[in-house]
């Protein structure tokens, strides 16, 4: 695929060259003023068509395409984390599927407690379940070239949008602009690794003479792995005891995975008559990635045992220096949405349908199913996870002239039907089966990631039907009230009704108070109810591998251990704040309080006795012969989250050019108010309460004069704590606050061509070392809420015409 990258660069260069020859240089366009920014029309959190971000009854951040371009990462969640302090994303090396589908959180809540929309339509979830049970949307499957802006509603909105909108809503708006916009970018970490090539382009054309438009976009990324690793002490000891064997240094890699990703989107608007138009959009991504797992030490790994069943065979013949399995996934993520909308009899109406599917194929290389001895392959197909969703919506709205109101109210009504299906496809036989060497203690299943067995495979679905009403009441030119109610029925657990009331009072021109109260919910997914998983880890004290099983909560073995059917998570949200704009300065400060009941977590780990092991083997759980503990998902916690978001910005003319200054700060505190679990939940409690920084802030300054512009961004994260259960040991460490500085300088070479050079983490700042995991060769915590690979330089060439 390196050839494809070279070809893509060449195509973009030819396009740029043709435009440079055809155009003369022109001064750079002046940036938007503060007034035009706050007057941006928003479509998230409101059913009106004329509301601006400043007029919204709840805080809505608008992240523009230019802001997205200023972040070097190719993944949307990194861009949001750099611009929105209450948004966090973790980098999780050697964390199975989470190394590629990374969890992202808003206001410190679970990744699946934030609803994601594309063009206002619900986005399907990822097929990957996180270690704490979350099943959120894979934001990394969306490319940035086709995006016009991202609206982030920081307020509970289940009454408006349904399940998942406890923390807020992220609405990704695709571009409907005509013309060409493209870029080519390269970068590398200061340490000399992680070389990354990115190429992207968007092209929009008019259709007909009634305002139709078709916009296509594509992004390609090829990223090499990084390694921030020291040689493991036990590998050093093994090398000393076996000088005739060349042991790799390091024996395993901790860092970002190798990735190759294609992402694309189409966005269509096609008027049919003067009153009716058709629309549609589609997205697609294809990811191939590989990362490392823990090193298997020949001196103590049970796969190196010998058995009379395999005379003359030993794993030493194949992996004399031990082995680190290479875990990978091939993921295809696709969605198609379409509909018609128009006006009739005073009503605006919108009839639409959508389909989305995420398929993750797991594979493992450089491994073994030791129970099959010499018959075992070293590469395995470990099976597939599939999440598929179909949605149909019918929405109507109209203005209402009421005598007591200053201007017409807005009434919106709607219906929604949704079906989600979760599938598990079994891997190849050797990835999960038990071979003849098992009675001698040779472990079964592909070592590192036992594949999904036929007993785990299946297809499960859940349906829901909803009706909502939304009423906006402008009692005066300066006082507005929003009311919303939604009733929803789920096939798996029944009915729920949620409501919201929000108000805004502009007590003086440019100064307003706003507040909201709402209830919310997040329904358990078919995947959370039915997924069963086996995983392996390394005990940092004994340096021996352990194998853990996570069962479905409705599995008979889980029920016997105390498991119960999952219930919805429910919430109560309260917020109030102040927003202002005056002489080029805009700002807001908002307090929020969110109570969430019955939050999902993993149950305590139950030791596997001989009787329980026999039950697990009989149930066909892969690797059951070597399981040490089992657990299941459960409604385990109630929490209270409170915090403050504050943003102040200024934009205007100075020093003969134009510039802007933005400061944002978030304080977020979560406390567990009820827990029904015991020892393991102590670690879960620490992660929920202290696993993310309580304070985070960023400060950015941009300036442009003539063809030259620049950006300085300062990102600050407060202290946080990492807590992990690891075999018989609890690993807990608190990490200090860190400040990262980004810098970029751009030159507008021609009216079409722009060159940007810059660095993220300019001063090569690293977090505190993870001393509690030094025995694994890990230098920095894999749960850090920021990149732990040091400074990164990059150069970007972009064209627009």
């Amino acid at each position: 695929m390196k050839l494809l990258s070279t070809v893509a660069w060449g195509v973009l260069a030819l396009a740029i060259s043709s435009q440079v020859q055809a155009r003369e240089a022109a001064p750079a366009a002046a940036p938007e003023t503060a007034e035009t920014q706050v007057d941006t029309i928003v479509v998230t959190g409101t059913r009106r068509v004329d509301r601006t971000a400043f007029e919204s009854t709840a805080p809505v951040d608008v992240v523009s395409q230019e802001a997205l371009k200023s972040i070097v990462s190719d993944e949307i969640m990194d861009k949001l984390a750099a611009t929105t302090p209450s948004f966090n994303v973790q980098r999780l090396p050697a964390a199975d599927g989470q190394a590629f589908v990374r969890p992202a959180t808003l206001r410190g809540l679970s990744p699946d407690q934030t609803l994601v929309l594309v063009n206002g339509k619900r986005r399907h979830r990822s097929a990957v379940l996180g270690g704490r049970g979350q099943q959120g949307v894979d934001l990394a499957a969306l490319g940035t070239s086709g995006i016009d802006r991202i609206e982030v509603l920081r307020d509970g909105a289940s009454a408006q949008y349904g399940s998942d909108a406890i923390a807020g809503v992220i609405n990704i708006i695709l571009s409907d602009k005509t013309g060409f916009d493209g870029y080519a970018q390269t970068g590398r970490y200061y340490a000399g690794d992680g070389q990354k090539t990115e190429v992207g382009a968007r092209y929009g054309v008019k259709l007909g003479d009634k305002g139709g438009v078709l916009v296509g976009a594509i992004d390609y990324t090829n990223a090499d792995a990084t390694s921030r690793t020291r040689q493991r002490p036990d590998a050093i000891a093994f090398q000393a005891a076996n000088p005739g064997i060349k042991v790799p240094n390091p024996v395993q890699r901790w860092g970002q995975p190798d990735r190759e990703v294609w992402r694309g989107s189409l966005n269509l608007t096609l008027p049919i008559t003067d009153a009716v138009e058709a629309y549609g959009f589609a997205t697609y991504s294809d990811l191939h990635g590989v990362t490392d797992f823990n090193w298997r030490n020949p001196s103590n790994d049970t796969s190196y045992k010998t058995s009379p069943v395999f005379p003359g065979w030993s794993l030493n013949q194949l992996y004399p220096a031990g082995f680190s399995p290479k875990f990978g996934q091939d993921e295809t993520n696709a969605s198609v949405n379409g509909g018609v909308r128009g006006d009739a009899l005073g009503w605006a109406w919108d009839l639409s349908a959508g389909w989305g599917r995420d398929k993750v194929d797991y594979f493992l290389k450089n491994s073994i199913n030791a129970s099959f001895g010499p018959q075992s392959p070293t590469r395995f197909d470990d099976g597939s996870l599939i999440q598929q969703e179909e949605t149909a919506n019918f929405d109507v709205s109209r203005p209402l002239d009421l005598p007591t109101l200053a201007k017409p109210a807005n009434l919106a009504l709607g219906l929604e039907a949704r079906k989600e299906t979760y599938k598990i496809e079994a891997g190849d036989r050797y990835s999960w089966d038990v071979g003849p060497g098992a009675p001698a203690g040779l472990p079964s299943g592909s070592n590192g990631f036992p594949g999904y067995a036929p007993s785990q495979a299946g297809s499960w679905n859940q349906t829901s039907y909803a009706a909502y009403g939304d009423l906006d009441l402008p009692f005066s030119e300066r006082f507005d009230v929003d009311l919303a109610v939604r009733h929803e029925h789920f096939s798996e657990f029944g009915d729920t009704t949620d409501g919201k009331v929000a108000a805004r009072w502009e007590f003086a021109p440019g100064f307003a108070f706003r507040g909201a109260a709402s209830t919310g919910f997040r329904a358990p997914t078919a995947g959370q109810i039915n997924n069963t998983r086996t995983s392996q880890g390394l005990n940092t004290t004994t340096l021996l591998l352990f194998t853990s099983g996570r069962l479905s909560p409705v599995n008979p073995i889980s029920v016997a251990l105390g498991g119960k059917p999952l219930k919805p998570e429910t919430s109560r949200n309260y917020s109030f704040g102040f927003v202002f704009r005056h002489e080029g300065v805009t700002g807001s400060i908002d307090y929020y309080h969110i109570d969430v009941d019955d939050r999902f977590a993993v149950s305590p780990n139950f030791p596997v006795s001989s009787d329980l092991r026999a039950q697990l083997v009989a149930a066909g759980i892969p690797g059951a012969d070597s399981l040490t503990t089992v657990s299941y998902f459960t409604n385990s916690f109630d929490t209270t989250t409170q915090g403050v978001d504050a943003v102040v910005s200024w934009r205007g003319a100075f020093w003969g050019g134009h510039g802007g200054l933005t400061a944002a700060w978030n304080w977020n505190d979560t406390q567990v108010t009820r827990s029904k679990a015991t020892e393991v939940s102590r670690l879960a409690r620490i992660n929920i309460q202290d696993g993310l920084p309580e304070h985070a802030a960023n400060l950015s300054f941009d300036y442009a004069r003539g063809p030259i512009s620049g950006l300085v961004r300062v990102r600050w994260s407060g202290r946080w704590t990492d807590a992990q259960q690891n075999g018989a040991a609890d690993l807990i460490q608190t990490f200090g606050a860190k400040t990262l500085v980004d810098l970029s300088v751009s030159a507008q070479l021609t009216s079409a061509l722009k060159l940007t050079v810059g660095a993220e983490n300019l001063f090569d700042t690293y977090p505190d070392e993870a001393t509690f995991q030094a025995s694994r060769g890990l230098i920095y915590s894999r749960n850090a809420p920021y990149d732990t690979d040091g400074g990164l330089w990059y150069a970007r060439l972009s064209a627009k015409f």
Side-chain angles (χ1 to χ4, degrees):
M1 299 303 286
K2 294 286 188 181
L3 176 62
L4 287 174
S5 173
T6 303
V7 171
W9 274 81
V11 170
L12 182 60
L14 286 173
I16 293 171
S17 176
S18 65
Q19 289 300 311
V20 171
Q21 294 173 7
R23 296 169 181 259
E24 296 180 353
E32 289 183 293
T33 66
E35 290 297 315
T36 60
Q37 287 185 329
V38 298
D39 284 339
T40 300
I41 299 293
V42 295
V43 296
T44 310
T46 179
R47 306 288 180 181
R48 298 190 71 100
V49 297
D50 59 351
R51 179 164 288 175
T52 68
F54 179 73
E55 296 168 337
S56 175
T57 56
V60 179
D61 297 324
V62 180
V63 184
S64 67
Q65 173 63 228
E66 288 304 313
L68 294 174
K69 290 179 180 178
S70 71
I71 312 299
V72 69
S73 173
D74 62 298
E75 298 184 330
I76 289 176
M77 55 273 203
D78 289 323
K79 297 174 183 293
L80 290 176
T83 56
T84 308
S86 59
F87 188 89
N88 285 278
V89 62
Q90 294 171 298
R91 171 67 67 185
L92 298 172
D96 296 354
Q98 289 187 100
F100 308 101
V101 182
R102 297 189 290 146
T105 65
L106 182 64
R107 288 184 163 176
L109 297 178
S110 176
D112 53 7
Q113 290 173 343
T114 299
L115 176 64
V116 177
L117 310 173
V118 177
N119 283 356
K121 307 298 182 182
R122 177 183 285 267
R123 176 78 176 177
H124 62 280
R125 298 181 179 89
S126 166
V128 176
L129 273 66
R132 299 171 192 169
Q134 68 270 15
Q135 188 182 6
V137 171
D138 183 10
L139 288 169
L142 293 162
T144 57
S145 288
I147 295 175
D148 178 70
R149 67 187 188 277
I150 299 177
E151 297 179 359
V152 182
L153 171 65
R154 293 180 278 112
D155 195 42
S158 291
Q160 297 161 293
Y161 297 104
S163 178
D164 305 351
I166 289 177
V169 178
I170 296 173
N171 191 6
I172 298 165
I173 311 297
L174 299 180
S175 175
D176 59 359
K177 295 180 173 64
T178 59
F180 176 84
D181 191 344
Y183 75 97
Q185 179 175 293
T186 186
R188 178 180 292 182
Y189 284 94
Y190 292 3
D193 58 6
Q195 175 76 38
K196 184 162 68 171
T197 299
E198 295 180 50
V199 181
R202 175 197 57 79
Y203 187 63
V205 295
K206 291 183 179 179
L207 299 177
D209 56 2
K210 294 184 178 181
V213 64
L214 174 64
V215 181
I218 190 168
D219 292 273
Y220 170 75
T221 299
N222 190 300
D224 294 338
T226 62
S227 180
R228 301 296 177 266
T229 315
R230 294 193 181 104
Q231 182 68 304
R232 282 173 45 163
D234 59 333
I236 296 173
F238 180 81
Q239 178 70 90
N242 299 273
I245 299 175
K246 183 172 178 54
V247 178
N249 186 5
V251 290
Q252 70 183 85
R253 181 184 56 78
W254 293 99
Q256 298 185 31
D258 284 295
R259 289 186 303 122
E260 185 172 44
V261 194
W262 288 94
R263 306 177 179 98
S265 65
L266 290 172
N267 193 25
L268 169 70
T269 302
L270 185 63
I272 300 174
T273 69
D274 290 339
V276 179
E277 71 175 10
Y279 65 92
F281 58 93
T283 66
Y284 180 81
S285 70
D286 184 279
L287 174 144
H288 174 83
V290 179
T291 190
D292 278 22
F293 275 173
N294 287 299
W295 178 63
R296 273 60 176 163
N297 189 333
S299 64
N300 59 28
D301 191 276
T302 55
S303 295
Y304 283 83
K305 289 183 177 181
T306 58
S307 168
V309 178
F310 310 120
W313 179 85
S314 169
L315 194 56
N316 283 294
Q317 300 165 357
L318 184 62
Y319 299 127
F323 64 100
S324 297
K326 308 298 181 185
F327 172 78
Q329 77 176 45
D330 290 311
E331 179 182 10
T332 54
N333 195 310
S335 70
V336 179
N337 289 263
V340 289
R341 57 195 173 203
D343 296 286
L345 304 175
W347 290 86
W349 57 270
D350 185 341
L351 177 63
S352 65
W355 170 90
R357 183 176 186 262
D358 182 40
K359 182 179 182 182
V360 176
D361 297 314
Y362 289 130
F363 62 88
L364 199 66
K365 301 186 294 184
N366 199 51
S367 184
I368 196 75
N369 182 338
S371 69
F372 280 97
Q375 303 172 31
S376 172
T378 59
R379 190 191 191 284
F380 303 88
D381 168 13
D382 286 297
S384 303
L385 304 177
I386 300 172
Q387 174 75 15
Q388 182 171 303
E389 299 180 27
E390 295 113 31
T391 306
N393 293 88
F394 181 61
D395 304 282
V396 297
S397 64
R398 68 170 298 164
L400 297 177
D401 289 316
L402 300 177
T404 58
L405 301 181
K407 57 183 179 180
N410 189 79
L411 173 66
L413 305 170
L415 301 172
E416 180 180 87
R418 187 158 56 93
K419 178 182 179 181
E420 63 171 286
T421 302
Y422 190 78
K423 297 180 182 179
I424 298 177
E425 295 180 346
D428 66 60
R429 176 197 171 192
Y430 289 105
S431 74
W432 53 265
D433 204 357
V434 180
L442 290 169
S444 64
S446 47
N447 197 315
F449 189 90
Y452 289 98
S455 60
Q456 296 172 287
S459 178
W460 305 270
N461 61 65
Q462 175 174 264
T463 58
S464 65
Y465 303 93
Y468 76 86
D470 194 317
L471 181 62
D472 175 73
L473 299 169
F475 286 99
S476 72
E477 292 293 336
R478 295 186 176 182
F479 181 64
D480 191 88
V481 175
D482 285 348
L483 304 173
V485 63
R486 185 183 183 97
H487 180 80
E488 196 149 356
H489 174 79
F490 282 80
S491 60
E492 296 303 303
F493 69 85
D495 298 272
T496 179
T497 301
D498 291 277
K500 180 174 183 176
V501 56
R504 179 182 180 277
W505 173 44
E506 189 170 351
F507 59 90
F511 297 85
F513 288 118
R514 60 190 179 192
S518 65
T519 61
F521 75 103
R522 199 199 67 79
T525 68
Q528 290 169 327
I529 295 171
N530 297 286
N531 182 282
T532 298
R533 181 72 216 118
T534 303
S535 60
Q536 295 179 334
L538 183 75
N539 187 304
T540 58
T541 302
T542 65
L543 296 181
L544 297 176
L545 291 172
F546 62 88
T547 305
S548 300
R550 191 195 68 226
L551 307 177
S552 160
V554 295
N555 185 294
I557 298 174
S558 299
V559 174
L561 294 172
K564 297 179 181 179
L566 293 174
K567 300 184 294 183
E569 300 171 324
T570 59
S571 69
R572 298 171 300 281
N573 295 53
Y574 312 95
S575 65
F576 62 86
F578 170 71
V579 60
F580 67 91
R581 60 180 179 183
H582 182 68
E583 295 183 352
V585 179
T586 66
S588 65
I589 182 167
D590 293 275
Y591 168 81
Y592 54 90
H593 180 108
I594 308 168
D595 296 319
V596 185
D597 294 342
D598 294 316
R599 288 186 64 168
F600 292 176
V602 179
S603 74
N605 281 324
F606 296 92
V608 176
S609 63
S610 57
D611 290 342
L612 181 55
R613 179 171 288 107
Q615 296 180 55
L616 294 167
V617 170
I621 305 300
D625 53 306
S626 57
L627 280 177
T628 54
T629 61
V630 294
S631 60
Y632 51 84
F633 291 142
T634 181
N635 296 99
S636 187
F637 292 105
D638 295 347
T639 61
T640 293
T641 298
Q642 61 176 337
V644 173
D645 285 318
V647 181
V648 178
S649 63
W650 170 86
R651 181 164 294 281
F654 73 109
W655 289 351
H658 287 81
L661 182 68
T662 299
W665 167 74
N666 170 253
W667 165 65
N668 189 88
D669 176 73
T670 296
Q671 296 295 321
V672 175
T673 56
R674 180 188 68 90
S675 171
K676 66 180 181 181
T678 55
E679 184 62 25
V680 174
S681 289
R682 181 176 75 93
L683 300 178
R685 180 189 297 265
I686 293 173
N687 282 314
I688 288 174
Q689 295 184 161
D690 303 309
L692 292 172
E694 185 173 333
H695 297 273
N698 61 49
L699 176 69
S700 64
F701 171 71
D702 64 90
Y703 176 73
R705 182 173 180 176
I708 305 300
S709 60
L711 171 70
V712 179
R713 180 187 298 109
V714 180
R715 296 174 282 143
W716 178 81
S717 293
R719 55 189 287 137
W720 60 284
T721 300
D722 192 359
Q724 301 179 38
Q725 197 277 335
N726 190 263
D730 289 347
L731 307 178
I732 303 172
Q733 183 178 343
T734 297
F735 297 86
K738 291 295 173 181
T739 301
L740 307 178
V741 178
D742 307 329
L743 173 68
S744 67
V745 178
S746 299
Q748 193 74 41
L749 304 178
T750 73
S751 61
L753 191 61
K754 182 178 182 180
L755 176 66
T756 301
V757 294
E760 291 195 348
N761 192 359
L762 177 67
F763 300 111
D764 201 26
T765 301
Y766 283 90
D768 302 339
E769 293 194 7
T771 57
F772 69 156
Q773 297 214 35
S775 60
R776 309 173 76 179
L778 181 69
I779 301 178
Y780 307 109
S781 171
R782 60 180 182 171
N783 294 312
Y786 37 72
D787 190 353
T788 60
D789 289 300
L792 169 70
W793 65 263
Y794 66 96
R796 178 187 184 105
L797 189 65
S798 57
K800 186 175 185 179
F801 47 82

